């Protein structure tokens, strides 16, 4: 028998329903309102580690400081969500929508964000060790003061993005489009910048 967390939800209409949350497997929402279920889960304080919420609509929810390590969020909509200081190590967010979402101070080590759409997202101060942004749309995103090693930005679209004071050792920007991006004051030891498009980009004080 698998251990699970049971959340009892009292909708404004209809009978109470129970939501069973199993670790490391897809959560069965049983046909109940998805937004209602998410609000109940957030209120419970339970971790989200290892759960599968692929394709879920999670826009505008607050995950600040929560643990989502190893969570599957493939194709999910996290637009305008707050994930400030959240633990997302090893999470899979491939093809997720992250427009204007905040990951400030979050741990995204070993996370897969390939092909995400994250215009104006905030990654300020985030941990980006072995994080994969391959092919991601990161226009006007902020990576100020982020810390990373072997971070992948291969073929990423970084127009107008900011990396002020970022420290990204051995980051790979091969074939990235970074028109108008700013790396002022960044530390970029052993960074790879092959075949980039960088018209109007700023690298003042980069070391």
């Amino acid at each position: 028998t698998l251990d699970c967390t049971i959340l009892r939800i009292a909708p404004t209409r209809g009978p109470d329903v129970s939501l069973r949350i199993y670790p490391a497997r897809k959560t069965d929402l049983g046909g109940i309102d998805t937004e209602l279920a998410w609000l109940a889960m957030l209120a419970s304080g339970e971790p989200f580690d290892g759960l599968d919420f692929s394709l879920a609509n999670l826009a505008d929810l607050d995950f600040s400081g929560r643990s989502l390590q190893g969570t599957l969020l493939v194709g999910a909509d996290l637009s305008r969500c707050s994930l400030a200081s959240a633990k997302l190590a090893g999470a899979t967010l491939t093809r997720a929508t992250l427009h204007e979402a905040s990951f400030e101070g979050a741990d995204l080590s070993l996370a897969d964000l390939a092909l995400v759409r994250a215009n104006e997202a905030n990654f300020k101060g985030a941990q980006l060790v072995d994080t994969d942004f391959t092919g991601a749309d990161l226009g006007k995103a902020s990576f100020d003061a982020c810390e990373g090693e072997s971070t992948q930005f291969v073929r990423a679209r970084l127009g107008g993005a900011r990396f002020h004071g970022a420290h990204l050792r051995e980051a790979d920007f091969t074939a990235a489009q970074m028109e108008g991006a700013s790396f002022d004051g960044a530390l970029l030891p052993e960074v790879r910048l092959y075949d980039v498009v960088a018209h109007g980009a700023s690298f003042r004080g980069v070391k």
Side-chain angles (χ1 to χ4, degrees):
T1 302
L2 291 174
D3 292 333
C4 68
T5 298
I6 300 177
L7 300 179
R8 191 166 299 282
I9 305 170
T12 54
R13 293 178 297 175
D16 291 1
V17 293
S18 295
L19 174 63
R20 295 174 181 269
I21 305 172
Y22 293 89
R25 60 177 289 185
K26 189 173 183 65
T27 296
D28 181 8
L29 297 179
I32 67 173
D33 181 80
T34 304
E35 182 179 359
L36 181 64
W38 273 99
L39 290 173
M41 293 173 70
L42 286 167
S44 75
E46 294 292 327
F48 296 88
D49 296 344
L51 299 180
D52 184 350
F53 299 120
S54 298
L55 303 178
N57 181 5
L58 313 175
D60 300 298
L61 294 180
D62 186 1
F63 295 93
S64 299
R66 302 301 291 271
S67 183
L68 297 100
Q69 298 181 87
T71 299
L72 296 178
L73 292 156
V74 178
D77 186 356
L78 292 155
S79 298
R80 299 173 302 282
C81 280
S82 176
L83 293 111
S85 301
K87 300 175 179 65
L88 289 147
T92 302
L93 294 92
T94 311
R95 297 183 183 276
T97 301
L98 310 175
H99 298 316
E100 299 180 32
S102 176
F103 294 85
E104 185 169 350
D107 183 3
L108 287 158
S109 300
L110 297 171
D112 185 352
L113 288 88
L115 302 173
V116 298
R117 294 175 296 169
N119 291 310
E120 299 185 54
N122 179 14
F123 297 93
K124 182 178 180 179
Q127 296 295 311
L128 304 177
V129 177
D130 288 312
T131 306
D132 189 358
F133 289 99
T134 298
D137 185 355
L138 300 162
K140 296 184 179 179
S142 172
F143 291 89
D144 292 350
C146 68
E147 298 275 345
E149 185 171 343
S150 300
T151 312
Q152 298 293 308
F153 292 98
V154 176
R155 298 186 304 279
R157 294 183 292 281
L158 293 160
R162 286 169 44 114
F163 290 81
H164 292 184
H167 186 186
L168 294 169
R169 177 179 293 276
E170 298 181 358
D172 191 347
F173 289 90
T174 299
Q177 299 175 29
M178 50 179 67
E179 299 97 325
S182 178
F183 293 81
D184 293 353
L187 298 176
L188 303 174
E190 301 178 69
V191 69
R192 289 183 284 281
L193 292 165
Y194 305 118
D195 300 319
V196 299
V197 179
H199 303 300
S202 176
F203 294 88
R204 289 192 295 269
V206 168
K207 297 180 181 179

